[in-house]
Amino acid sequence: MSETACGRPHHCAPPDISAYEPVDAAPTDCDEDLHDLWLKDARVLDVELDRPELLDVRIEDCDISAVSMTGFIARRLHLRDSRVRGVTLIKGQCDDGLFEGCTTSDLSFRFSRLRRVVFRDCDLSAADFYNATFDHVTIDRCDLQRARFDAAIVNCLAITNSTLTAISGVSGLRGAQLDASDLPNLAQSLASDAGILIRDA
């Protein structure tokens, strides 16, 4: 995107990875922190972490399920072409994040701050952004059907070419920049948020 509400494009810094090739399993001695990791074709299942730090992490073609991170800090985190199911990232901060070509279910960023984050070509249907803060964030070509934005805080958020049907908490998008072509999908949610009842003709 070349123009946003803040007047500049949203870019995220890439991970600084020292490895020349990816690995297919996360280290077992990470002590709840992941640094300088390139993960590909791996399965990450049933993980619960408290106040973890993810720094310079690239995840590609992975299956991530039943992961909970509370009070997380993520910097330069890139996920591509991965399946993300039942992942809860709450009360944390993600700086310089890229989520591209991912399919998700039960994804939550509740009470988290997203700064310089790009979601592109992702299925984010029913994602939970309750009380999330969007700071220089772009959501491009994503499915946001039934996503939740209640009590969200928008400093700068651009949503383009995305499906916005039946979202919850549309008032939480106050200040966001949307494409005119996306507005018809928002009609029902806007009416519901304003207490307007829509009846069939």
Side-chain angles (χ1 to χ4, degrees), residues 12 19 23 25 41 77 85 97-98 105 107 116 123 166 180 190 199:
C12 48
V23 296
D41 297 320
L77 168 67
R85 296 172 292 177
L98 172 65
S105 62
L107 172 65
R116 297 184 303 277
D123 181 351
L190 286 166
R199 63 186 180 188

Side-chain angles (χ1 to χ4, degrees), residues 93-108:
Q93 179 168 321
C94 180
D95 295 340
D96 293 300
L98 172 65
F99 299 79
E100 187 171 31
C102 295
T103 58
T104 75
S105 62
D106 297 322
L107 172 65
S108 176

Side-chain angles (χ1 to χ4, degrees), residues 122-144:
C122 290
D123 181 351
L124 299 172
S125 53
D128 189 353
F129 295 102
Y130 180 86
N131 205 206
T133 298
F134 297 92
D135 193 352
H136 306 299
V137 174
T138 290
I139 301 176
D140 184 35
R141 301 192 301 268
C142 292
D143 186 349
L144 289 165

Side-chain angles (χ1 to χ4, degrees), residues 63-81:
D63 190 350
I64 304 172
S65 300
V67 172
S68 176
M69 297 186 186
T70 302
F72 70 95
I73 295 177
R75 295 191 176 95
R76 296 184 295 278
L77 168 67
H78 285 199
L79 273 75
R80 294 179 185 269
D81 302 320

Side-chain angles (χ1 to χ4, degrees), residues 49-53 68-74 88-93 111-112:
L49 302 177
D50 183 48
R51 303 179 66 82
E53 181 179 81
S68 176
M69 297 186 186
T70 302
F72 70 95
I73 295 177
T88 303
L89 306 170
I90 61 173
K91 298 181 180 178
Q93 179 168 321
F111 302 101
S112 294

Side-chain angles (χ1 to χ4, degrees), residues 164 178-188 190:
L164 295 165
L178 280 70
D179 287 344
S181 60
D182 292 333
L183 289 179
N185 291 328
L186 269 181
Q188 186 70 40
L190 286 166

